[in-house]
Every structure is written in structure tokens, then in C-alpha cells.
Amino acid sequence: KNSIKAMEKELVTCSLQGKEKAALKRSQIFQIPGGKDSETKVIVVLGKAGMGKSILIQKICQDWSNGEFSQFEFVFWFDCKQISLPEKRYSLKDLLLEFFVKPQEGSKEIFEYILQNPTKILLLFDGFEGLHDHENFPRCSASQPEKDLCSIKEMLSGLIQKKILNGCTLLLTARPKDKVYQYVSKVDKTIEIVGFSPQQRELYITKYFEGLPYCDNALKLIKECEYLFSHCYSPLMCRFVCFLCETVLEMGDKSLPSTLTTVFLKFVQQKIIPMKTDVTAMQNQESLATLARIAWYLGEKHQSAMKSNLLPSKEVKEFALKHGFFLPFAFPGHSDSEEEEFGSMFSDFVIQNFLAALHLMLAEEIKDKSLMKYLSFPSKKKKPYNWLDLVPRFLTGLLFLQDDPCFCSLSNKDVKQSTKKQKTLLKYIRRLQINELCPERLLDLLHCIYETQNSYLLQHVALRLKPDLSFLSVVLTPPDVHVLHYILKRSRKEFSLDLQNSSIDMQGLKDLVGLKNVASFRASLSDTVRLWKTLEQTKDYELLRASTEKFVLDPFKAKTMKDISDLSDLVEMQEKMINCVQDASGCSSYEIPAIKNLRKLEFALGPVCGLQGFLKLVEILAAFPSLQHLDLDALSENGIGDEGAKSLSEVFPTLTSLETLNLSQNKITDVGAEKLATALPSLSSLKTLSLYNNNICDFGAENLARVLPVMSSLRVLDVQYNKITGVGAQQLTDSLRKCPHIKSLVMWNPTIPYGVLEHLQQLDSRISV
């Protein structure tokens, strides 16, 4: 249970955060180093709604049909929204050869071939979130799982448990916050789709308007509306924004809506506006209200599809299909005599969110006070998982658009009810303890407040933000950065931001760091150095200097070789900075404050890269003049050994501020201890030295004992859990008598007889066991 919780937490917090990332070509998706051909392989593709997961699946199918991925003889693609209706049951043969594609002849022989050659089968399940709800994911209990009828959940469970088609390849797509690892015990590969870069956004927009007379104007118009342009990192949102921009330009307007709510309000209005008669307008309003209610009730069940015969009326079905809100699909019958059934699903997730919010806004049965539970921002992370996660943003936006002509054209409801709901929201926000919200809930709130564009609320939230804002390991998308920047700019406070491991893009980092009331920030070293290099290339020396002065590095923990490389790049950057700052201020020397002020450095690369990384680190240690604490004690044991100790001892004379040196658990022997002892007196500020749990024997102890009297600043020495015997212990005790400055010597060793150690402790109470 705990391991499942840990895996779920890892995924929910930051999907692939903290792991080494690399761009992946489509041709590499199915390459799994060390994977066994005879076992089922599970690949998970993560991406927020609208990121292009479904398009990727379609592209894989197209590539396969053109001869790529030749290791697979059969590829089956399923949309989980369509196949997951609770009452539907399938056999494996139904699912593969009836639902997806129906062979004209030879179904039995084809199915037998599939069962005998599972390694040649690729199964693509798009939209894993459509398969689970509040229930636990069931185990496959069928006695003959490849022949019996079972639900799609049981079928997928059987595939994952290797009871069905063991040896096939499964690719599942899901959103980052879906509890994938709770249902999939072993994932062989995880891939994340991160959306468009600013350059890709521009390319998409240019391609969309290619050949149209207002192509250049469109790109300019969208880029001027920075909030909408930030949303264009999502391919789906980019398409919506382009559609709306096209409509705006065709009508001769010169501005785009400023919020997401107004974008979708206009989008829906444009879909249904061509019919101008009063009768049709009334019918459209009623059909839209019904569709909005369906969007909400399906969303509550984590669904976006339903059987077409369950729709309230033929008019609603025709309205939804005609205006593109619904897409139709067919279910297969279990036999040739059984008729096909038809279903309908929302054309995309964002439209369902918008319509669900519209329902909450219009529904008379939902009173103003009960509405607030759909906008709750609990201070702790644990929040009921909201499948329709954009509903709060759209709902708050709609509450402040009740007088908008667009909104009025979609509804014939009384505005008074909406005004009461708006006042309830204002009261709720005023009472909210904003400074106690966790980062995820705070971002939700900022998005909601931004959608209102209400000056009072924007100012109210800006003034109540706490000065230390941490987004450590919380993914910050371009829209997140935009609303954060927009609201921080309105505050009179000074802020300290922690943006480490947040996947923030270059432009977002530049914008936040450039705010005058951001006094300091932490961010990943590689992102920060990349930003500085860009500012140097563009000759933006003023922002370059300001951002270097705001950057905080202390304390720094190196956990990968990349961390060491980034630290080296930072030191190298300082050399370049001297020239840049000379141009800006005329001074001839310049120290990056983060380098100058680094006081604590932890090294935790583990045994595989420990020595290699440490030797590289030693080369740059002299660049940190204020370094007081160097800690090499890691749970995974770095194992720098004698070679690392020798290399470190050579730079001791440069570490003039070092007060604490922790070399515990590093496999240092007498050889390394001798090298250290020779150089230790040059550490003029050293107060604490720990050599706990190494392989130091009496010869090493003798060398340490010899230098203790000249280490006048030393207060604590820890040499316990080594291989020192009573002889070495006696030498250290004798030396201790000449060292009144030392307050504690910790030297319990399993190789020192207890009576000897007790006797030595009686001679000198500073000896601790």
C-alpha cells in the first residue's frame, strides 16, 4: 500500500520531474534497453489534456502503415472513452477483430495467429483516465481470460498482469495527475509530452494562417495577447485561439479576448450564431443548457462518452453533432445478427469543462452557497481529485461575465441569480487564508482570479501572498507563469521565489526574474546559466546583472553528474561575467553573489559516479570563497576512497572559510587519512571533522594524532566505526592532552576493547563513546 502511495505521489507531484530528460524521436518510443522479448512491455505516455497524445497515437499508426515499427505485425488502437462504458463486456476476439477492425474473412485463423505470436502485437489505449473512476482497478478473474466476456477494465488488467497475450507491447496515454501507477504495477518506459516551445507556437500559427491575406496580422495579434499566446503551448488551445483569431479578423475586429473564459464564450457563440430567428435562438439555448448538464453529470463520473439512445432528445443530439460539440462512434455487436449500437462523446476535454461550468452557472437547483464547493481551495495538498479540472476557472470567469452580450446570447436565465452567486464568491475569497495554500492550490486560485479580471480581487490576492513563494517540484506551465507574473506585479511586497525542478521555460524564468519586486530566486542551475548566456548574447547586461544578484544557490546539493557540470558552468560563467559587467558598469572585477555566498555544499552522487564527480568538483572548489560546510555523507555512500581524499587535500589551502568537513562513509583507508592529515593544518577555520565509518586503522589514527595539536580551530573530531584498535585510540588520547581547544573526540570502534575505551574516557571526559 505504501509503495503504491509513494509511486502515486511521485507521479502526481511532478510526473518526470527530477529525472534525467532527453528529447525522444518517435522511432525510439518502443526501444526498451534490457527488456525481455517474451514478457509484456508497458509504455506510458503522459501529457495534459490537449497536448497531442491522441495525435501521437494516430501518427504511430500511420508510421506503422508506412513500414515503420516493423517488429509489429498487428497494431490495435482503442479510444478508452469509447470502450469503457460500464455495461459493455467483450471477449478479446470481440475487442480486437470486431471493435477495431473486422476482417472480411479468416477471423478465426487471424485470432489464433495473434494468440500464438503476442510479441508481434502492439495495443494502443488512448486516454487511460477514461478507464478508472472512484473504484479500485479490478483484477482479471476470468478462468479463460482470452475467451471469456469481461469488462474493458478487467481486460486491460489481464493484459498488464500478463494473463492475456503475455509478450505483447502495451502503450497507454494518460494525464500526469492520473493514478496510473496505482493500476500498472510495472512501467518499462515513461514518456512525457511537454507541448510547444515559443518557436513551435509561432510555426503552428503561421502554418494555420498560411496563404490567407491576414497571415502576418494573425501572428502579431495573438502574440500581443500574451496570456492567450502562453496557452498556445498546448496544441489544442493553440487551435482554439487560431480559430477565434480567424473569426475576429474576418469580422474586422482588432483585438482578442483577454481570458480563457471569453475565448470559449465567443467560440461557442460563433458555433451557434448563424441561425438568427428567435425560435431557433430559443431552441439553441435550451439544447445548449441540456448539453451543459450532460457535460457536468458525465464529468462527475469521470466520463466523456455515452450511448446515443440515452440522450434526452433527438434535437439535442442533432444540435451537438451539427455544431461539433459531440463526435459519434459505433459499438460492435457480439455476433453478426446483433445490431451495432452508437455512442456520442464530447469532441474534446476543454469543451466539456466549459459546458460543465456553464451548467453550474445556469442551473437553478445549484444554489449560490453550494456552488463554492466546486471552487474549494483547501490549504493542504489533499483535495478531492477534480476530473474536470478547468471548471473552477471557467466558472469564476462566467460569474463575472453575466452582463456580457455573448453570455446573454447563450442563456435566457435571470441575471439576479448569477449576481447572488458572484457575491458569494467575493465573500468566499475574502475569507480565504491565501498565505496558507499549498503551491498547487495557489496556482488554481491565481488562474481563477485572473479569469474574473476584477481589479478588487486581483489586488486583494496580490496583497495577501506570502513573501516566500515556493514552487519546488511543481510543474509551472507558460499560463501558470503568466498569471503568477501578472499578480506579483500588482503587489507592493518583495518576493523570494523557489522555482527549482519546476520545468519553467526560458521566457517564463526571464519574466519572473525581471520583476523589480522579486528580490531573490532559486532555480535549476542549468536553466539559470542558460538564461544568463542568452542575456549575454542579446547584450541585455542590465537584466543580466540584476538576475545574477538575485540568484540564490546556498545550500546546494549535487545528486547527479549534471549538477556538477552545471556548477562548473556557473564558475565558468563568472569569468565571462567580468567582461559583460565591465561594459555595463565600468568595474574591472565581479563576483556572482551566488558563488561568493555559497556556504553549504552537499555531495550525494552515490557509488557509481561518486569518485568521477568528486574529482570534477574538487577542480572548482576554490571558486567558492565563503564555503563553510562540505558534506560528503550520503545514504547511498559516495565512496570517493583514497584517490578522492588525496585530491581534496591538495586544495585545502584554498578553503580558508571551511568550518565543517564531513567525509563519513567514503571508504577512506590509512593511505587517504595520511594525505588528509598532512594537509589538514592548512584548513585554518575547520571546527568539525567527521571520518565516521571509513576503513582507517592505527596508522591513520597515528597521522591524525600527530596534527591535532596544530589544528587550533578544531572543536570536534569523529572517527567512530573505523578499524582503529586500542593502540590508535591511545595515540589519539595522548594527542588530545595537548589540545585544550578540542571539545569532543568520538571514537567508538568495534576493534577497541570496551575496557580500554572506558579507561581512556576516564582519563579524558571529552572522549565520547
Side-chain angles (χ1 to χ4, degrees):
K1 188 178 177 184
N2 288 338
S3 63
I4 286 173
K5 278 186 177 178
M7 287 188 287
E8 183 192 333
K9 182 176 182 291
E10 178 189 354
L11 191 66
V12 169
T13 304
C14 47
S15 57
L16 294 181
Q17 295 301 94
K19 298 187 174 71
E20 293 292 330
K21 293 185 184 180
L24 197 70
K25 295 176 182 174
R26 274 198 312 282
S27 58
Q28 299 173 302
I29 287 175
F30 301 105
Q31 293 174 6
I32 300 171
K36 294 179 183 176
D37 288 344
S38 58
E39 288 193 357
T40 296
K41 288 169 276 297
V42 180
I43 299 166
V44 173
V45 176
L46 297 172
K48 290 191 171 187
M51 276 297 168
K53 301 185 295 294
S54 300
I55 297 293
L56 174 65
I57 295 286
Q58 293 169 36
K59 188 68 178 126
I60 287 170
C61 292
Q62 186 186 44
D63 289 348
W64 174 78
S65 69
N66 291 330
E68 294 185 44
F69 308 123
S70 55
Q71 67 268 42
F72 304 116
E73 289 188 24
F74 290 91
V75 174
F76 298 95
W77 161 32
F78 305 101
D79 187 328
C80 294
K81 293 190 287 290
Q82 297 178 11
I83 59 175
S84 63
L85 296 184
E87 65 274 21
K88 298 299 292 183
R89 300 180 73 78
Y90 309 90
S91 69
L92 181 63
K93 185 179 177 185
D94 286 338
L95 189 67
L96 300 184
L97 302 182
E98 295 286 335
F99 194 97
F100 182 69
V101 60
K102 194 169 185 177
Q104 291 182 331
E105 56 185 34
S107 289
K108 186 180 177 184
E109 291 79 5
I110 292 170
F111 186 59
E112 283 300 320
Y113 183 83
I114 288 170
L115 292 180
Q116 290 165 17
N117 297 275
T119 57
K120 298 176 181 179
I121 312 301
L122 171 62
L123 301 173
L124 306 167
F125 287 90
D126 185 23
F128 184 79
E129 68 275 0
L131 287 181
H132 64 82
D133 45 33
H134 303 292
E135 305 166 14
N136 291 324
F137 207 66
R139 294 186 69 80
C140 180
S141 57
S143 56
Q144 293 181 294
E146 288 169 345
K147 294 181 181 177
D148 293 352
L149 290 179
C150 50
S151 73
I152 193 62
K153 290 182 183 180
E154 292 169 327
M155 182 83 69
L156 191 52
S157 182
L159 288 163
I160 292 164
Q161 294 165 28
K162 304 174 186 176
K163 290 183 179 180
I164 302 175
L165 281 184
N166 185 22
C168 70
T169 299
L170 276 175
L171 188 148
L172 313 171
T173 73
R175 296 185 204 135
K177 289 194 178 181
D178 287 322
K179 302 171 186 176
V180 180
Y181 291 166
Q182 188 168 330
Y183 311 110
V184 184
S185 55
K186 179 178 176 285
V187 174
D188 297 284
K189 193 170 194 173
T190 308
I191 300 163
E192 186 175 16
I193 300 180
V194 295
F196 289 156
S197 67
Q199 295 76 20
Q200 289 170 326
R201 291 179 230 167
E202 290 191 27
L203 179 62
Y204 182 100
I205 295 163
T206 305
K207 291 278 186 189
Y208 184 97
F209 290 99
E210 201 168 39
L212 295 174
Y214 39 76
C215 179
D216 293 338
N217 285 348
L219 180 60
K220 184 171 177 284
L221 193 61
I222 293 171
K223 285 187 75 175
E224 280 173 357
C225 189
E226 292 176 12
Y227 181 57
L228 293 191
F229 186 63
S230 75
H231 270 291
C232 288
Y233 91 104
S234 160
L236 177 68
M237 290 293 197
C238 201
R239 182 165 59 83
F240 275 121
V241 171
C242 287
F243 170 83
L244 188 67
C245 182
E246 189 177 11
T247 308
V248 163
L249 289 169
E250 282 175 356
M251 292 170 66
D253 291 344
K254 292 183 179 176
S255 64
L256 286 171
S258 57
T259 67
L260 216 52
T261 311
T262 43
V263 166
F264 280 87
L265 203 54
K266 285 187 181 294
F267 175 80
V268 171
Q269 188 198 33
Q270 289 302 320
K271 285 276 188 182
I272 63 176
I273 206 170
M275 306 298 182
K276 285 284 187 180
T277 66
D278 290 344
V279 176
T280 312
M282 187 77 79
Q283 286 174 345
N284 280 352
Q285 286 174 350
E286 288 173 4
S287 295
L288 189 65
T290 305
L291 200 58
R293 188 168 68 251
I294 292 168
W296 173 249
Y297 287 114
L298 281 179
E300 280 198 307
K301 294 187 283 185
H302 293 196
Q303 293 174 1
S304 55
M306 65 189 298
K307 284 185 176 180
S308 293
N309 60 7
L310 296 177
L311 286 166
S313 68
K314 185 182 173 186
E315 289 76 21
V316 171
K317 179 183 171 183
E318 286 178 353
F319 170 83
L321 291 170
K322 178 181 178 182
H323 297 299
F325 298 123
F326 265 175
L327 295 174
F329 63 94
F331 293 104
H334 291 306
S335 64
D336 292 335
S337 59
E338 199 176 324
E339 284 187 21
E340 276 190 325
E341 288 184 273
F342 293 94
S344 300
M345 65 177 180
F346 281 97
S347 54
D348 66 68
F349 181 73
V350 187
I351 282 291
Q352 186 179 357
N353 271 264
F354 179 77
L355 291 175
L358 193 62
H359 167 70
L360 294 176
M361 179 74 181
L362 300 177
E364 290 176 4
E365 68 270 20
I366 297 176
K367 302 302 178 189
D368 47 321
K369 286 185 180 176
S370 64
L371 193 71
M372 289 308 108
K373 72 180 178 185
Y374 306 115
L375 291 171
S376 63
F377 301 102
S379 57
K380 293 177 182 172
K381 277 191 181 182
K382 282 195 174 179
K383 173 189 177 186
Y385 175 47
N386 186 3
W387 194 70
L388 294 170
D389 56 355
L390 294 177
V391 164
R393 299 182 197 181
F394 285 133
L395 181 55
T396 46
L398 287 170
L399 283 169
F400 284 82
L401 284 171
Q402 55 198 358
D403 299 323
D404 187 277
C406 270
F407 180 74
C408 295
S409 70
L410 301 182
S411 165
N412 56 6
K413 300 291 179 188
D414 181 16
V415 175
K416 285 183 183 177
Q417 185 69 26
S418 302
T419 307
K420 280 183 74 178
K421 290 177 178 179
Q422 187 193 100
K423 285 179 179 175
T424 307
L425 173 67
L426 284 165
K427 193 183 294 183
Y428 174 74
I429 299 295
R430 277 200 296 267
R431 290 177 180 172
L432 199 60
Q433 298 293 313
I434 293 168
N435 60 350
E436 292 180 9
L437 296 180
C438 70
E440 293 89 343
R441 300 293 80 77
L442 178 62
L443 287 172
D444 287 343
L445 175 67
L446 297 186
H447 277 287
C448 289
I449 300 303
Y450 184 89
E451 287 297 318
T452 69
Q453 285 297 295
N454 179 278
S455 299
Y456 166 75
L457 279 179
L458 287 164
Q459 195 66 24
H460 174 83
V461 171
L463 293 174
R464 279 157 185 78
L465 291 174
K466 59 185 176 185
D468 295 320
L469 290 174
S470 174
F471 297 97
L472 176 66
S473 295
V474 176
V475 175
L476 288 175
T477 64
D480 292 336
V481 173
H482 182 91
V483 295
L484 181 61
H485 179 273
Y486 186 83
I487 289 172
L488 287 180
K489 198 167 57 174
R490 290 172 164 263
S491 181
R492 293 189 291 270
K493 289 181 186 175
E494 281 200 342
F495 292 98
S496 172
L497 302 180
D498 189 346
L499 308 170
Q500 294 176 101
N501 213 13
S502 66
S503 297
I504 189 169
D505 67 9
M506 178 74 69
Q507 187 60 48
L509 184 59
K510 181 181 174 183
D511 290 344
L512 289 177
V513 168
L515 283 171
K516 288 182 179 176
N517 60 341
V518 169
S520 65
F521 75 98
R522 294 183 73 98
S524 89
L525 255 182
S526 53
D527 289 347
T528 307
V529 171
R530 201 162 68 246
L531 171 66
W532 291 347
K533 285 178 178 176
T534 305
L535 295 173
E536 180 200 352
Q537 287 161 9
T538 56
K539 292 187 166 53
D540 191 348
Y541 297 137
E542 191 177 338
L543 182 54
L544 177 58
R545 175 149 194 171
S547 62
T548 56
E549 288 176 354
K550 292 178 182 184
F551 180 57
V552 176
L553 185 64
D554 183 55
F556 182 73
K557 185 171 186 175
K559 294 190 280 190
T560 64
M561 282 298 291
K562 187 175 182 302
D563 290 335
I564 302 296
S565 300
D566 290 342
L567 203 58
S568 296
D569 287 346
L570 181 68
V571 171
E572 189 183 319
M573 189 73 195
Q574 180 159 265
E575 302 302 315
K576 293 181 180 178
M577 286 287 296
I578 292 170
N579 301 325
C580 299
V581 175
Q582 256 183 312
D583 292 348
S585 63
C587 65
S588 57
S589 66
Y590 182 73
E591 285 181 295
I592 294 175
I595 293 178
K596 184 182 176 184
N597 299 328
L598 180 66
R599 287 176 171 79
K600 183 175 181 181
L601 177 54
E602 292 181 68
F603 181 88
L605 265 67
V608 178
C609 300
L611 177 59
Q612 180 192 355
F614 187 66
L615 294 178
K616 192 169 181 183
L617 175 65
V618 166
E619 293 173 11
I620 57 169
L621 279 178
F624 304 102
S626 303
L627 186 64
Q628 294 176 349
H629 189 152
L630 181 58
D631 189 348
L632 273 75
D633 182 9
L635 285 174
S636 55
E637 299 191 15
N638 295 302
I640 65 163
D642 295 333
E643 189 180 345
K646 175 179 179 291
S647 182
L648 176 62
S649 65
E650 289 168 359
V651 299
F652 276 173
T654 64
L655 305 179
T656 53
S657 301
L658 194 66
E659 295 179 357
T660 302
L661 177 58
N662 190 345
L663 295 173
S664 302
Q665 308 188 98
N666 272 290
K667 299 181 179 169
I668 297 168
T669 70
D670 284 349
V671 176
E674 183 183 14
K675 295 292 181 187
L676 289 170
T678 306
L680 277 170
S682 61
L683 291 175
S684 55
S685 303
L686 191 67
K687 293 179 180 176
T688 303
L689 172 63
S690 177
L691 291 162
Y692 167 92
N693 197 15
N694 280 287
N695 299 318
I696 299 168
C697 301
D698 290 341
F699 181 69
E702 182 187 342
N703 279 295
L704 289 169
R706 192 177 300 126
V707 297
L708 286 184
V710 295
M711 296 178 65
S712 57
S713 62
L714 192 68
R715 299 292 177 268
V716 178
L717 173 63
D718 185 349
V719 288
Q720 64 179 329
Y721 283 97
N722 278 276
K723 295 178 180 177
I724 300 169
T725 69
V727 175
Q730 184 66 57
Q731 288 173 320
L732 285 167
T733 305
D734 292 343
S735 178
L736 193 59
R737 290 177 190 155
K738 306 169 194 170
C739 306
H741 53 276
I742 292 180
K743 293 180 178 177
S744 175
L745 171 60
V746 189
M747 64 172 181
W748 185 91
N749 276 256
T751 45
I752 303 175
Y754 183 73
V756 172
L757 196 58
E758 198 174 40
H759 171 67
L760 295 175
Q761 191 182 25
Q762 286 171 357
L763 292 176
D764 196 322
S765 62
R766 292 175 294 170
I767 294 173
S768 169
V769 295

